[in-house]
Amino acid sequence: MPEWKSLTRSIVRHGAFFFLAQAGVLVAMTLAFGMGWARLALFLGVSLVFHAFLTATLLLRQGDFRIEATGLLLSRVNLSNTLTYIRLSSLPTILYLVIQASDFPSTLMVILPLICAVFATDFLDGMTARKRGEITFVGRYLDSASDYLTIIAVTIVLNYHGLLPLWFLLLVLVRLVLFAVGMGLLALREGKADPRSTFVGKVSVFSLMVLYAMEIARLFSVPLIGNASVVQIVLYVVVAIVVASIVDKAIFLGRRFSRAAAAPDPAAAHGRAPRADGSG
């Protein structure tokens, strides 16, 4: 079987399997905690559309399923990309559970471990890719998309519940919009997107995920990690990290634009070369 056909089947199977897995979690939670079926039906529909869109996007970008070091096209979705897929696939489920949390406090026993497990894949996928030599172009897109979609969605939901102030939501949005716009402009300038993460950027994403888990714990008055004073201290530490990441991202993008501007013009390469004295 040609590699592209094998990869197509793998992508479709991933989309179908993870939708069914997330639907199973949603149905099990609804049955276990007596939650309403109307809201469940809505989120099942959202999850279906989300997984269909994700599958369609990956099918269109099959050419990016290549090992960066060798250029070899994968015959199936590899382990590191599967771990990233888990994080993306879980987004509608996490939103559903966090939205339901205020009405069903007993769901805490599931929400916190689930969020921690999903957030842990942010480090497992990168570590797995490096260790197994599986770093792919599509992996970078998926990793960045999963981080930012999860952070935006959870930040908005926590702000809605009054757990995060509006100014913090705006700060996070500034951080994410700066990166998205910057990478978009670079893609237009260089002809491709290359969403490489910096160390400070990864630290900021991790710190936000820790803060969100603690904010949910505070909602249910969990000892220590849910203590209001502890969470407030962590909030300001995370603010400092996010501000540092904004500066870091601005420097990163500035350097990328400088390199792009300094690169030789392909059109000029076909013209007359300048003389040694610099004149044309």
Side-chain angles (χ1 to χ4, degrees), residues 247-275:
V247 175
D248 174 71
K249 190 61 64 178
I251 294 173
F252 170 78
L253 291 171
R255 288 174 177 171
R256 288 287 300 274
F257 276 109
S258 296
R259 287 204 302 269
D265 185 352
H270 297 286
R272 183 165 53 90
R275 295 204 305 264

Side-chain angles (χ1 to χ4, degrees), residues 203-216:
V203 171
S204 70
V205 170
F206 176 73
S207 67
L208 285 166
M209 292 178 177
V210 170
L211 174 63
Y212 295 166
M214 294 181 69
E215 287 287 5
I216 294 173

Side-chain angles (χ1 to χ4, degrees), residues 4 15 18-19 51 71 75 122 129 137 150 158 162 186 189-190 195 197 217 221 245:
W4 69 269
F18 281 110
F19 166 70
H51 282 85
S75 59
D122 186 44
F137 295 102
T150 301
L158 292 180
L186 271 176
R189 190 183 187 97
E190 298 178 351
S197 299
S221 302
S245 74

Side-chain angles (χ1 to χ4, degrees), residues 30-280:
T30 299
L31 290 172
F33 296 98
M35 294 185 285
W37 291 98
R39 184 169 286 180
L40 170 66
L42 172 63
F43 270 83
L44 283 176
V46 170
S47 183
L48 176 60
V49 171
F50 179 78
H51 282 85
F53 174 78
L54 180 57
T55 299
T57 300
L58 294 179
L59 288 173
L60 289 173
R61 302 297 303 181
Q62 287 188 69
D64 290 331
F65 280 85
R66 295 182 181 274
I67 302 295
E68 285 192 356
T70 64
L72 180 66
L73 180 66
L74 299 178
S75 59
R76 64 180 64 86
V77 180
N78 62 21
L79 177 59
S80 55
N81 288 339
T82 297
L83 290 171
T84 308
Y85 204 116
I86 291 173
R87 192 159 68 257
L88 272 171
S89 175
S90 300
L91 182 57
T93 301
I94 290 175
L95 286 177
Y96 174 75
L97 294 178
V98 172
I99 288 173
Q100 294 282 70
S102 58
D103 295 328
F104 300 92
S106 56
T107 57
L108 173 65
M109 67 181 70
V110 175
I111 293 175
L112 285 179
L114 176 63
I115 289 178
C116 290
V118 170
F119 285 174
T121 63
D122 186 44
F123 292 89
L124 289 176
D125 56 4
M127 182 175 63
T128 300
R130 289 187 294 271
K131 186 175 181 180
R132 294 165 59 99
E134 294 182 348
I135 298 177
T136 59
F137 295 102
V138 76
R140 294 191 184 278
Y141 302 139
L142 288 177
D143 185 55
S144 294
S146 62
D147 286 347
Y148 295 132
L149 285 175
T150 301
I151 287 173
I152 289 174
V154 177
T155 304
I156 292 173
V157 170
L158 292 180
N159 173 259
Y160 173 79
H161 281 292
L163 296 174
L164 288 174
L166 178 60
W167 61 263
F168 185 85
L169 169 61
L170 295 177
L171 177 66
V172 172
L173 290 178
V174 166
R175 160 71 169 83
L176 301 181
V177 169
L178 171 65
F179 179 76
V181 172
M183 294 310 300
L185 292 175
L186 271 176
L188 291 174
R189 190 183 187 97
E190 298 178 351
K192 64 177 181 178
D194 187 13
R196 295 179 182 272
S197 299
T198 63
F199 174 76
V200 178
K202 276 293 185 183
V203 171
S204 70
V205 170
F206 176 73
S207 67
L208 285 166
M209 292 178 177
V210 170
L211 174 63
Y212 295 166
M214 294 181 69
E215 287 287 5
I216 294 173
R218 180 165 71 95
L219 180 65
F220 298 98
S221 302
V222 176
L224 188 58
I225 63 170
N227 180 275
S229 298
V230 173
V231 175
Q232 193 69 14
I233 293 173
V234 173
L235 171 65
Y236 288 112
V237 171
V238 172
V239 168
I241 294 174
V242 172
V243 170
S245 74
I246 292 174
V247 175
D248 174 71
K249 190 61 64 178
I251 294 173
F252 170 78
L253 291 171
R255 288 174 177 171
R256 288 287 300 274
F257 276 109
S258 296
R259 287 204 302 269
D265 185 352
H270 297 286
R272 183 165 53 90
R275 295 204 305 264
D277 63 2
S279 60

